[in-house]
Amino acid sequence: MEVDCRFCENCRLVDEEFPSANELILVKRWYECSVTKEVFLTLDELRKAYAKCSHRAPKVGYELPSRILDEVDGINLAISNILRQKVKVIEVKSETMAYIASPCHSRVDFETKVGALATLLEMNISILRKVLDKFGKSYEKDEKSLKLLNRLFSEKNMMTPELSASLSFLEQLVRLRNKLPPYHTPSMEEAREIMKSLGIAFLAEAGEWQNNSEILLKKFLNALRELRIALTRLAMM
């Protein structure tokens, strides 16, 4: 996946309304570099500018998102090797990674990050079904990404304690996304319990949300790593 200026601390979104929000006539929206004052109107312009930029300032926490991308690439490669054809079971959009890589200053930022991470788990079901078909494993029609993977590893007798814990964490992450705004009707009490089980503070001070974000990203990275290792082993069978 190509990164762009939205991964940089120097990039800011300009969103202006004229003459005011109450008497809306015109909305202007663009990205601007705080260093060069250059304006970008399209995603292509952001990508090209980032590629040649000499003053990049990657956003806080970008190292973890970059490593997450590496694990996603590893998962896609392992499944491609299993099926003997190039496939992408996880598609990554630049917008999704921009949310994951951006700083986390508030609960709203954290909720957005949870949603972005959960989006990566919306895998291509038809590809996963092909993997189960290859190994002669049956599945239910309503089973989706994580349930299909659980079934695959269980029936291949590959379920280790580490892999089981990783899949459980990913399932909890999806549950958390489903309890938080703006993705679903919020259920904050249930969200609080899920976050507690993940070791994340629900009522965090402003400065603690970035710490919450890093805890979440590290757990997500470790879970993807276990998944990639298991799929790579499967590809070698």
Side-chain angles (χ1 to χ4, degrees), residues 70-90 228 231-232 235:
D70 290 341
E71 293 300 336
V72 168
D73 288 342
I75 289 169
N76 285 332
L77 177 61
I79 291 185
S80 294
N81 289 337
I82 291 170
L83 296 177
R84 300 185 183 280
Q85 64 179 100
K86 188 174 182 179
V87 296
K88 282 190 176 181
V89 72
I90 302 177
R228 187 258 305 163
L231 287 168
T232 301

Side-chain angles (χ1 to χ4, degrees), residues 67-79 82 90 123 149 153 158 163 166-167 170 220-236:
R67 290 166 63 191
I68 287 171
L69 275 179
D70 290 341
E71 293 300 336
V72 168
D73 288 342
I75 289 169
N76 285 332
L77 177 61
I79 291 185
I82 291 170
I90 302 177
M123 303 178 195
L149 288 170
F153 294 128
M158 295 179 63
L163 180 57
S166 295
L167 289 169
L170 296 176
F220 190 80
L221 173 64
N222 291 336
L224 288 190
R225 182 181 295 117
E226 288 295 330
L227 186 56
R228 187 258 305 163
I229 291 171
L231 287 168
T232 301
R233 285 175 51 213
L234 191 60
M236 297 171 66

Side-chain angles (χ1 to χ4, degrees), residues 58-187:
K59 289 181 176 179
V60 174
Y62 180 63
E63 179 186 357
L64 286 170
S66 179
R67 290 166 63 191
I68 287 171
L69 275 179
D70 290 341
E71 293 300 336
V72 168
D73 288 342
I75 289 169
N76 285 332
L77 177 61
I79 291 185
S80 294
N81 289 337
I82 291 170
L83 296 177
R84 300 185 183 280
Q85 64 179 100
K86 188 174 182 179
V87 296
K88 282 190 176 181
V89 72
I90 302 177
E91 289 277 358
V92 183
K93 295 181 179 179
S94 57
E95 293 86 354
T96 300
M97 289 310 301
Y99 285 132
I100 292 172
S102 59
C104 190
H105 300 305
S106 67
R107 195 177 80 188
V108 172
D109 291 341
F110 182 78
E111 291 167 352
T112 301
K113 203 172 293 284
V114 169
L117 290 172
T119 297
L120 296 182
L121 302 177
E122 295 172 356
M123 303 178 195
N124 188 310
I125 296 174
S126 64
I127 291 175
L128 288 177
R129 286 174 175 170
K130 287 180 181 178
V131 174
L132 274 96
D133 289 339
K134 178 179 175 65
F135 292 104
K137 305 302 180 184
S138 61
Y139 47 82
E140 300 295 332
K141 289 184 178 180
D142 62 343
E143 289 181 328
K144 297 184 179 179
S145 307
L146 297 177
K147 285 189 176 180
L148 289 171
L149 288 170
N150 257 305
R151 180 181 290 275
L152 174 65
F153 294 128
S154 295
E155 296 194 7
K156 290 293 292 181
N157 294 319
M158 295 179 63
M159 192 65 79
T160 64
E162 294 80 10
L163 180 57
S164 178
S166 295
L167 289 169
S168 177
F169 164 76
L170 296 176
E171 289 169 349
Q172 286 287 81
L173 178 67
V174 173
R175 284 189 60 226
L176 179 59
R177 187 274 309 270
N178 294 345
K179 303 301 179 184
L180 292 173
Y183 307 98
H184 295 272
T185 303
S187 175

